Amino acid sequence: MNNTEKGFTLIEVLVAISIFSILSALAYGTLNQTITSSEKLEELNTRMQSLQRGFSQIDQDYIQLAKRPVRSEIGNTQIGAMTSNHANGYLIEFSRHGWPNRLGMKRGSIQRVAYDLIDTRLVRYHWNVLDKTYSNELIQSELFDGIDKLQLLFLKNNNEWTDQWPPIDMTQEEGLRALPKAIRISITFGDIGEIERTIEINT
């Protein structure tokens, strides 16, 4: 063996291991950050898709409002085509056109719908009959969660906004079939902030 040939010294080996460890740590940190960012992006994408589906349902409901009052559960009074502020137990309750009937059931195309805010969730209800009784099944689905605040405003014929429908300056008879010119819904979510939509009503 040639005496001039040398191997790595202990110090060189330690330096090489240190450099390798540092580079490995940096690479792991970058990879971990990439994975975390990808997961957060996927969560945000899922959240936005959920919000889009919820607002699409709201749009479909409000643009097809019907001037159709219904009988109360006990059958001795009528409930207006649209009522708000928990007048009948819900945040808002209304009749709407365009109820699909793919199974060919013996019923009309108008559906009775209600929304309510349960804790931080916006829940949509509907009945399988218009003139419901206490024995009718109430079907529910969740539109949104994580809600901090929700406000509904209704545009009157004089272009003034009110937070109650029917408005207090409308007679009971007029209120049975009255619909607003537009509805503005403002929802503040804890994670993404406020989203506001104004929907024109086809009356």
Side-chain angles (χ1 to χ4, degrees):
M1 180 176 178
N2 191 337
N3 291 332
T4 60
E5 293 181 358
K6 297 191 302 181
F8 292 108
T9 66
L10 179 60
I11 294 177
E12 289 173 333
V13 171
L14 291 175
V15 169
I17 292 174
S18 298
I19 293 173
F20 178 77
S21 299
I22 293 171
L23 293 176
S24 298
L26 291 173
Y28 175 79
T30 301
L31 178 61
N32 187 57
Q33 185 177 8
T34 301
I35 293 174
T36 301
S37 298
S38 177
E39 290 175 347
K40 288 182 178 179
L41 185 61
E42 182 64 27
E43 290 176 1
L44 179 60
N45 185 52
T46 301
R47 176 65 162 159
M48 297 308 294
Q49 288 180 352
S50 174
L51 293 176
Q52 186 176 15
R53 287 193 298 269
F55 278 107
S56 177
Q57 179 65 71
I58 291 173
D59 289 343
Q60 291 178 32
D61 282 340
Y62 286 166
I63 65 177
Q64 299 186 91
L65 291 175
K67 295 180 178 181
R68 170 55 157 92
V70 297
R71 286 200 313 268
S72 65
E73 281 84 349
I74 58 177
N76 63 345
T77 59
Q78 282 192 308
I79 301 174
M82 172 180 283
T83 62
S84 72
N85 289 342
H86 296 91
N88 296 292
Y90 301 98
L91 179 69
I92 186 170
E93 182 181 339
F94 54 88
S95 303
R96 56 154 288 185
H97 293 288
W99 188 11
N101 191 5
R102 300 180 181 88
L103 299 179
M105 299 173 63
K106 293 182 178 180
R107 61 166 175 79
S109 61
I110 299 179
Q111 183 183 51
R112 192 68 176 180
V113 176
Y115 289 8
D116 207 3
L117 188 61
I118 309 298
D119 296 324
T120 62
R121 302 177 298 118
L122 182 62
V123 180
R124 180 185 187 270
Y125 303 93
H126 77 269
W127 291 264
N128 284 326
V129 296
L130 269 175
D131 298 309
K132 54 188 183 294
T133 65
Y134 286 115
S135 62
N136 295 133
E137 181 183 5
L138 181 61
I139 302 166
Q140 71 176 58
S141 59
E142 183 178 305
L143 295 183
F144 303 124
D145 62 359
I147 296 174
D148 287 344
K149 181 181 178 182
L150 187 151
Q151 183 183 43
L152 284 170
L153 294 175
F154 308 92
L155 186 62
K156 300 192 296 183
N157 287 333
N158 62 2
N159 293 324
E160 292 181 355
W161 291 96
T162 177
D163 62 357
Q164 177 177 326
W165 198 266
I168 58 175
D169 57 358
M170 186 176 288
T171 67
Q172 184 176 2
E173 185 63 27
E174 290 173 332
L176 284 177
R177 296 183 180 274
L179 294 176
K181 295 173 63 176
I183 298 176
R184 178 175 295 164
I185 179 169
S186 174
I187 305 178
T188 302
F189 296 93
D191 53 349
I192 61 173
E194 183 182 14
I195 297 179
E196 182 178 282
R197 299 283 284 271
T198 299
I199 305 166
E200 185 176 353
I201 307 305
N202 298 319
T203 56

